[in-house]
Amino acid sequence: MSVETTPLRRPAPRRRTPSDRLCDALAALGDHKGQVLTHSERAWASITFAGTRHAFAILFAGDEAVAAGERFVAELPEYEFAIPGQLVADASVVEVEHRMVPRPRLLVRCELLLLEDA
């Protein structure tokens, strides 16, 4: 009696979305020292453009991370993002909470507007 076997296939790799790429870019901008606490995404459109608005809360904990977070805050508004098919039309820091006790931490809330690049 013969049994037919089918070779196992690896699942197709998950396609990286613009949101995934944005998260990667923000992690790199923060020297991979920040922890994303919250991330929300909602559709956005005007008469001529369509895209998504993203809101993040990112925690930088510890001396080294706080220094990276301070650089993140300074560089975000002018940072040149490279996200295929997308244009970052606006990137702003909307709130920064800095604490030193019991250990240094920096909480950054930022918002970004991604537009579909035609």
Side-chain angles (χ1 to χ4, degrees):
M1 173 167 156
S2 77
V3 176
E4 278 197 40
T5 60
T6 304
L8 293 176
R9 292 186 187 167
R10 282 189 215 175
R14 185 172 82 80
R15 186 170 182 201
R16 297 183 38 77
T17 67
S19 182
D20 294 333
R21 294 176 191 276
L22 176 61
C23 289
D24 290 347
L26 290 175
L29 180 59
D31 295 329
H32 301 279
K33 305 285 187 209
Q35 175 188 2
V36 174
L37 300 179
T38 63
H39 172 210
S40 64
E41 176 181 350
R42 69 179 193 273
W44 181 93
S46 70
I47 292 173
T48 53
F49 298 104
T52 52
R53 181 161 292 282
H54 297 259
F56 289 87
I58 305 171
L59 176 65
F60 295 88
D63 291 328
E64 192 176 315
V66 167
E70 289 169 345
R71 288 189 301 275
F72 178 94
V73 168
E75 295 175 13
L76 178 66
E78 301 301 320
Y79 187 73
E80 291 293 326
F81 290 86
I83 302 172
Q86 301 289 307
L87 169 69
V88 177
D90 183 44
S92 59
V93 174
V94 295
E95 183 181 357
V96 175
E97 181 184 314
H98 203 172
R99 293 187 185 174
M100 296 304 291
V101 177
R103 70 182 259 223
R105 61 178 261 160
L106 183 69
L107 178 62
V108 178
R109 294 184 193 282
C110 57
E111 293 182 353
L112 297 97
L113 175 62
L114 268 66
L115 299 179
E116 296 171 5
D117 194 11

